[in-house]
Amino acid sequence: MKEIILCKYGEIVLKGANRKYFEDTLVKEMRYRASNFGKFSITNIQSTMTIEPQDDFCDLDGMFESAKRLFGIAAVSRAAVAEKSMEDIMAITKSYIPAFLEGKRTFKVEAKRSDKTFPLSSPEISREVGGAILSAMPRMRVDVHHPDVTVRVEVRERAAYIHAGQELGAGGLPVGTNGKGLLLLSGGIDSPVAGWMMAKRGVRLEAVYFESIPYTSEQARQKVLDLAALVARWSGSIMVHVVSLTKIQEELVRNCDEDYFTLLLRRYMMQIANMVAEKQGCQALITGESLGQVASQTMHALNVTNAIAKYPVFRPVIGMDKEEIVQIARRIDTFETSILPFEDCCTVFTPRHPKTKPVLEKVEEQERKLPFDELCREAFEGAQAFYIKAKF
Ligand code: ATP
Ligand code: MG
């Protein structure tokens, strides 16, 4: 018996005239990913992507997991291939489907016949296949409204496909179809999730990480690069620009009012991010800020940092509770890395009494104590770029 993978497209089916372009983009991307798992033939037939192994050495499990990480795909299932005859469909159903019904009580069969020359109608196919399952597994019951398992039979152009283990795909839109954004990536829980969420909406990611060696460590940097690699499994490869804030932080401590350290630092970050975004052709900044989470994320504080941004700042987790962010971090596998205990530059020199209701004019007054533009330019020019190649 031959097993393949079927992928259903998500939102792109609403794309009208552009739909073909989106489908072709996804097929190309899946082919690229598939090269890591063996020889597969990948085609787009009637708005379903089929991934067919070409020999016995293919890693179908690996391919399946990877397909679930491709944005633009709504659902993924493994399917058995049958000849387009009821005999073969029934025989394959009896050998392939019981494993999916193990421990389950109810099922229904949904048949779809896109080949209209097939002698049975869809309801007839459903009835026959349902009967075959009931006779092979008499303890099962049919429940057409809330079945534990839905068995699907699709009679298509080239063959019939039988499957029961449909899983959610990554959803969203193909990466690259919505421009490029610059993610401010720290080693925390929130920013990798924020990057993932925007990549899901089709945004290609580039990232900037601010460090403060020797106050932050090499391990802290490696952790951020590791997080970028984890996000890249979904979003595709990410260029990470590493910028040193050491001098800026030392100057802030020497010259400015302690209560304003964090806010001033965040404005430096924003300004340097503006510069990186401009150079790299990014059209938005992305942060993991969540309203009220810390002093620098009150509405007043966000206004102060936002005032210096030259691009729209996407904050996809702004309205989410920590627990909701953690849930996504676990799902996308960044959580365990995010909680490794290394210092972030925001947590060195933290003020004892940070301003939670800062006034922009007061912050700018503090800012003028230092040559802001010059310090930003110096930090920007010293940036190092690390290309994090996606391992799908
Ligand atoms: P996270 O959990 O993502 O680390 P956080 O809880 O540490 O965020 P803040 O330190 O206030 O929160 O940072 C808010 C946002 O600012 C982060 O989500 C990230 O987008 C950005 N940011 C903070 N520190 C850095 C850094 N060292 N390098 C790049 N971006 C940063
Ligand atoms: Mg946070």
Side-chain angles (χ1 to χ4, degrees), residues 69-201:
R69 289 192 294 265
L70 181 58
F71 292 124
I73 301 289
V76 187
S77 41
R78 300 169 78 121
V81 183
E83 276 170 31
K84 290 205 292 186
S85 70
M86 275 323 280
E87 296 74 57
D88 204 42
I89 290 173
M90 308 277 265
I92 298 275
T93 301
K94 280 184 192 163
S95 64
Y96 184 66
I97 292 300
F100 293 93
L101 300 180
E102 202 123 317
K104 302 287 169 36
R105 292 200 43 76
T106 60
F107 76 100
K108 76 169 170 181
V109 180
E110 251 177 32
K112 223 169 65 187
R113 181 188 64 147
S114 51
D115 172 6
K116 300 296 177 200
T117 66
F118 193 75
L120 273 67
S121 69
S122 301
E124 285 167 346
I125 301 170
S126 297
R127 216 171 311 129
E128 298 263 325
V129 172
I133 294 173
L134 285 173
S135 67
M137 303 182 79
R139 58 172 189 83
M140 293 299 297
R141 282 189 300 112
V142 175
D143 179 345
V144 290
H145 300 297
H146 305 287
D148 294 336
V149 179
T150 300
V151 177
R152 292 185 167 86
V153 181
E154 304 183 26
V155 182
R156 290 170 167 267
E157 221 168 84
R158 290 193 300 192
Y161 304 114
I162 301 155
H163 56 105
Q166 184 161 296
E167 292 185 30
L168 278 185
L173 297 169
V175 166
T177 57
N178 258 330
K180 189 161 71 163
L182 182 67
L183 170 66
L184 281 74
L185 180 61
S186 67
I189 296 168
D190 308 326
S191 47
V193 169
W196 178 85
M197 287 175 80
M198 294 324 300
K200 181 149 100 84
R201 296 310 299 164

Side-chain angles (χ1 to χ4, degrees), residues 2 9 15 26 47 60 70 92 167 185 187 241 250 274 276 284 299 331 367 379:
K2 186 173 174 193
Y9 298 117
K15 289 288 175 202
L26 279 176
S47 286
L60 202 66
L70 181 58
I92 298 275
E167 292 185 30
L185 180 61
H241 305 268
E250 287 174 345
N274 283 331
V276 176
M299 204 180 287
R331 170 171 172 222
E367 200 166 82

